[in-house]
Amino acid sequence: MAPRIPKAVKAPGVQYDFWAGVEYLRDYGGLTAAEFKKITLLDCGISNTRRGRACHKNGKYYKFYVPYWAYLKEDIFLGLEVWPIRSNPNTDRLSSLFVYYLAHEISHVLNSPKAKSHGRRFYEIFTRVCPVELQHYELTYKTKTASKYIKELV
């Protein structure tokens, strides 16, 4: 069954790979067991949209998604190398960019909806959840803000 997100990708194995990415962040990033459990209760997955999004209402996040293009991306992204994650057979189809993007959206979900979207608290969570070797992708997205916080916290 496809997740309840806009334009959910229905290609075989894609949503399974989404969860393999979340498990990778739990096993190799800094995602805690309690945070992992919280994420499993949300509507989330891979969406055929231009960008990812974490959605909230009434002070709580209820869904988030990562774009399909990030899942498909190989070789180079904005001048940065994209490589396959080869930690175990479940992650063979995951790219470094996709796992970074997943960590970015999860960091929004773990942050308070009332907090500044890309402020200090967000980056404290992001630098803990996202493996260090993938954090450089954030510098292409929020160049000024990310370089300020990532430099301070890593």
Side-chain angles (χ1 to χ4, degrees), residues 107 110-111 120-130:
S107 298
L110 298 177
N111 196 7
R120 180 172 189 77
R121 173 95 173 103
F122 169 84
Y123 281 109
E124 286 172 352
I125 296 166
F126 174 77
T127 55
R128 178 178 55 79
V129 170
C130 186

Side-chain angles (χ1 to χ4, degrees), residues 8 12 24 29 39 51 56-57 62 66 71 75 78 84 86 97 100-101 105 112 117 122 126 144 149:
Y24 180 84
I39 289 163
R51 67 182 192 92
H56 63 86
K57 66 179 171 187
Y62 66 98
V66 178
Y71 173 79
D75 301 326
L78 297 177
R86 300 220 190 271
L97 179 67
Y100 146 75
Y101 213 129
E105 294 306 329
S112 167
S117 181
F122 169 84
F126 174 77
K144 197 175 197 178
Y149 291 115

Side-chain angles (χ1 to χ4, degrees), residues 41-58:
L41 301 175
L42 302 176
D43 288 327
C44 47
I46 299 174
S47 174
N48 202 1
T49 53
R50 190 173 68 81
R51 67 182 192 92
R53 186 149 186 218
C55 306
H56 63 86
K57 66 179 171 187
N58 300 327

Side-chain angles (χ1 to χ4, degrees), residues 22-112:
V22 176
E23 289 171 356
Y24 180 84
L25 292 172
R26 180 195 61 202
D27 298 342
Y28 298 96
L31 194 62
T32 67
E35 292 166 340
F36 180 82
K37 184 175 181 178
K38 176 181 179 178
I39 289 163
T40 64
L41 301 175
L42 302 176
D43 288 327
C44 47
I46 299 174
S47 174
N48 202 1
T49 53
R50 190 173 68 81
R51 67 182 192 92
R53 186 149 186 218
C55 306
H56 63 86
K57 66 179 171 187
N58 300 327
K60 291 184 177 183
Y61 283 97
Y62 66 98
K63 75 176 157 188
F64 75 98
Y65 46 91
V66 178
Y68 192 40
W69 66 260
Y71 173 79
L72 297 173
K73 191 71 178 160
E74 296 176 350
D75 301 326
I76 302 292
F77 173 72
L78 297 177
L80 299 174
E81 182 183 0
V82 177
W83 65 89
I85 302 289
R86 300 220 190 271
S87 62
N88 65 55
N90 291 336
T91 61
D92 277 354
R93 291 183 306 276
L94 303 181
S95 74
S96 54
L97 179 67
F98 173 73
V99 174
Y100 146 75
Y101 213 129
L102 189 54
H104 179 96
E105 294 306 329
I106 286 173
S107 298
H108 281 298
V109 169
L110 298 177
N111 196 7
S112 167

